[in-house]
Each structure stands twice: as C-alpha cells, then as structure tokens.
C-alpha cells in the first residue's frame, strides 16, 4: 500500500501502531522508516509545514473515541 501511495504522489506516509503507540514515518516508498516513540511528536516536515502533533495527545483522543464507540455497541 505504501508504494501505491507514493506512486500516486504522496510525499510522506505515517503508519500508526496503536499497540505500541508509535508511528513509523516514511519519506520514500522503499526508504527506512523513522519511528516516532509514544512520547514523541509527529512533524509535518516540508510537506505540511508547521504541523506538530504530540502522540500523547493523538492517542488520548484515540482512547476517548474508542471508549465512546465501545459504549454504543
């Protein structure tokens, strides 16, 4: 899927791992990933200048939404 995204013109791919609460960041389809740890911050680099997303905040939202949806099922 990553190759397809880059072939379609994506310049940055984030692969989220809710289990480890980390994110692998790819700047190329075949390049190595840079892993952002659970206490780290995603950076939009030159693709989305100024975007800074702390993973602790992101996964707190994830937990809240997951809990909310679990209560509706």
């Amino acid at each position: 899927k990553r190759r397809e995204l880059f072939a379609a013109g994506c310049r940055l791919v984030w692969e989220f791992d809710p289990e480890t609460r980390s994110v692998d960041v790819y700047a190329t389809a075949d390049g190595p990933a840079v892993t952002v740890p659970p206490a780290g911050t995603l950076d939009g680099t030159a693709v989305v200048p100024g975007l800074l997303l702390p993973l602790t905040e992101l996964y707190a939202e994830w937990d809240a939404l997951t809990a909310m949806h679990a209560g509706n099922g």
Side-chain angles (χ1 to χ4, degrees):
K1 184 71 177 181
R2 190 178 329 120
R3 282 194 175 101
E4 292 174 21
L5 291 169
F6 280 103
C10 286
R11 295 173 29 212
L12 188 65
V13 173
W14 294 339
E15 291 183 2
F16 292 82
D17 186 342
E19 213 172 281
T20 64
R21 298 188 172 246
S22 62
V23 177
D24 288 337
V25 179
Y26 294 87
T28 65
D30 297 317
V34 173
T35 300
V36 179
T41 299
L42 283 176
D43 182 341
T45 67
V47 178
V48 187
L51 176 69
L52 297 173
L53 180 60
L55 292 188
T56 53
E57 291 179 22
L58 179 128
Y59 282 116
E61 289 291 325
W62 173 274
D63 291 340
L65 288 171
T66 301
M68 182 176 66
H69 288 293
N72 290 331

